[in-house]
Amino acid sequence: QVQLVESGGGVVQPGRSLRLSCAASGLTLSNHGMHWVRQAPGQGLEWVALISSDGSLEYYADSVKGRFTISRDISKNTLYLQMNSLSAEDTAVYFCAKDYGGLDYWGQGTLVTVSS
Amino acid sequence: AIQLTQSPSSLSASIGDRVTITCRASQGISSSLAWYHQKLGKPPKLLIYDASILESGVPSRFSGSGSGTDFTLTISSLQPEDFATYYCQQFTSYPYTFGQGTKVEIK
């Protein structure tokens, strides 16, 4: 049974950094592309980033390019999102999700609040 | 970036109604489109991928159609558990944008 569990969210001051984790079980990250998607409070879904199944390719939304980095640790079967230079506009629930044409498995999300 | 525009933004419907939601892309995306629904406080759930392929375990009352720029999600007979917000997402080019969502409410 596939399970994705995000962690690492919390309250952070503007300009600071945070790293989110997504621990995967029931699947092997090296076999799948993985995404981060976020949702600001009361708003719609925003695609954030993708890492390819072989880990060689990364893609980002324009709103996070140059500030966020997606990565993974195959030995830990864990996906990461390093977020730097955070601003209030980055406040959202962050979901990790598995790629399969659509995104077929999602975690429950972790809330990031950027506030002074 | 490819923009996806859903219509309507919200709708009210009754149990048993046939419901149709459309998603229009700002440029052609072949059949690289998925549909999700999301209930409050939960992650989205994949319903349809590749525009018309029903995800495993999703009830057959859901169907998708379209290619190019115009896509449709149809619920043939609305059930109580279908009241949610629906999103389309394109997978043709990065960034993999979502539509703004369609909220389906009880009439």
Side-chain angles (χ1 to χ4, degrees), chain A residues 16-98:
Chain A
R16 304 297 292 266
S17 299
L18 204 61
R19 189 179 80 158
L20 305 182
S21 301
C22 170
S25 57
L27 78 154
T28 302
L29 289 189
S30 58
N31 292 337
H32 303 282
M34 294 295 294
H35 300 250
W36 287 98
V37 174
R38 69 184 180 182
Q39 187 169 36
Q43 302 301 308
L45 301 170
E46 180 185 14
W47 180 82
V48 173
L50 161 70
I51 187 166
S52 61
S53 57
D54 65 1
S56 65
L57 299 173
E58 302 166 20
Y59 300 94
Y60 298 92
D62 289 345
S63 58
V64 307
K65 200 174 296 182
R67 299 188 300 123
F68 289 14
T69 302
I70 189 171
S71 64
R72 65 188 191 178
D73 186 330
I74 297 302
S75 67
K76 296 181 179 178
N77 215 31
T78 298
L79 177 74
Y80 300 102
L81 186 68
Q82 176 67 43
M83 305 186 296
N84 299 331
S85 303
L86 286 162
S87 69
E89 289 68 39
D90 297 314
T91 293
V93 173
Y94 285 75
F95 298 99
C96 61
K98 170 182 160 291

Side-chain angles (χ1 to χ4, degrees), chain A residues 35 37 39 43-47 50 59-62 95 99-109, chain B residues 1 34 36 38 41-46 48-50 55 87 89 91 94-101:
Chain A
H35 300 250
V37 174
Q39 187 169 36
Q43 302 301 308
L45 301 170
E46 180 185 14
W47 180 82
L50 161 70
Y59 300 94
Y60 298 92
D62 289 345
F95 298 99
D99 186 272
Y100 181 71
L103 305 184
D104 60 345
Y105 286 97
W106 296 67
Q108 290 298 309
Chain B
Y36 308 85
Q38 184 184 30
K42 298 292 187 181
K45 174 182 168 59
L46 178 65
I48 301 280
Y49 62 95
D50 289 349
E55 170 69 352
Y87 295 94
Q89 183 189 18
F91 288 85
Y94 303 103
Y96 282 171
T97 42
F98 287 90
Q100 83 279 13

